[in-house]
Amino acid sequence: MRRTLLISITLLLAAAAARPDQQNAPPLPAPPRCDSAEHRQFDFWIGSWRVESPEGKLLGTNRITRRLNDCVLHEHWEGAGGMVGESFNVWSRAKKRWHQTWIDSTGVLLLLDGGIEDGSMRLSGESQRRDGTEVMNRITWTPLEQERCRGCVRQLWEQSSDGGKSWSAVFEGIYRPAPAGEGPE
């Protein structure tokens, strides 16, 4: 027992002596903050939402929150049919554009990049359909200020299988603020 205690004390003293430079080193600089105008471009999407088709049919609920020191928008989607998904959205200082990684309960992975175009957030990227066909994806979020839907957001997901010559809608949803307590946790 004495020997174990002596060895432990010796190891602690040796470790402290091996790092004298760290004891007098200046403190590390604070990490950069995520408070630039670019980091706030997608803030219109933050909130708890009831997502409906343009005809008013419930498609699902969505909750978008700021996470990780306000650097990431984290999406929590629950589709009316039971499918769930999440995305992580971040402004890349290095690439000077937005990036989204989307994953869902059906195994879909989407990697999208882009930014603000004409007042809308537009992200795009390539993926494969289940049959292996390569497709281009383009998803656009537009804040709505119409009298009937002030504060709403329209999301339009389009795909092209001919290199962007023609596009077809895959999903169109109108995000309406959800009543308190409604939406994914």
Side-chain angles (χ1 to χ4, degrees):
M1 179 73 153
R2 259 177 134 176
R3 183 180 169 157
T4 303
L5 181 60
L6 184 60
I7 290 172
S8 297
I9 291 172
T10 303
L11 289 174
L12 284 171
L13 290 172
R19 300 183 298 161
D21 59 318
Q22 289 184 356
Q23 293 172 358
N24 298 323
L28 294 173
R33 296 174 50 104
C34 297
D35 58 0
S36 70
E38 291 84 4
H39 286 98
R40 301 284 83 83
Q41 289 175 328
F42 214 174
D43 282 3
F44 65 84
W45 195 34
I46 294 172
S48 292
W49 304 97
R50 178 181 170 86
V51 183
E52 300 173 353
S53 70
E55 298 77 35
K57 178 184 175 193
L58 178 66
L59 300 174
T61 58
N62 212 346
R63 185 170 49 88
I64 317 304
T65 58
R66 278 208 163 281
R67 308 289 296 160
L68 304 174
N69 269 353
D70 291 340
C71 293
V72 174
L73 292 184
H74 186 185
E75 173 186 16
H76 305 267
W77 167 258
E78 288 184 8
M83 189 271 287
V84 296
E86 296 186 24
S87 75
F88 296 90
N89 304 267
V90 64
W91 169 255
S92 170
R93 285 183 187 93
K95 295 181 179 180
K96 300 207 180 309
R97 62 182 180 213
W98 277 86
H99 173 80
Q100 181 183 90
T101 298
W102 162 266
I103 51 176
D104 68 33
S105 60
T106 68
V108 169
L109 167 67
L110 282 178
L111 302 173
L112 307 169
D113 291 288
I116 293 290
E117 295 180 20
D118 300 322
S120 297
M121 178 62 70
R122 178 168 289 153
L123 305 177
S124 59
E126 296 180 1
S127 67
Q128 284 188 337
R129 291 187 176 136
R130 285 188 170 84
D131 65 4
T133 307
E134 291 283 330
V135 294
M136 294 173 64
N137 298 281
R138 177 173 69 191
I139 304 179
T140 306
W141 293 261
T142 304
L144 300 177
E145 294 302 326
Q146 305 155 335
E147 190 173 311
R148 301 179 335 177
C149 202
R150 192 168 308 280
C152 295
V153 175
R154 176 181 182 248
Q155 179 182 343
L156 178 62
W157 176 9
E158 302 168 289
Q159 285 187 336
S160 172
S161 56
D162 59 8
K165 294 176 188 161
S166 62
W167 294 89
S168 59
V170 174
F171 175 89
E172 182 175 7
I174 305 299
Y175 284 62
R176 297 180 185 280
E182 185 178 313
E185 292 303 314

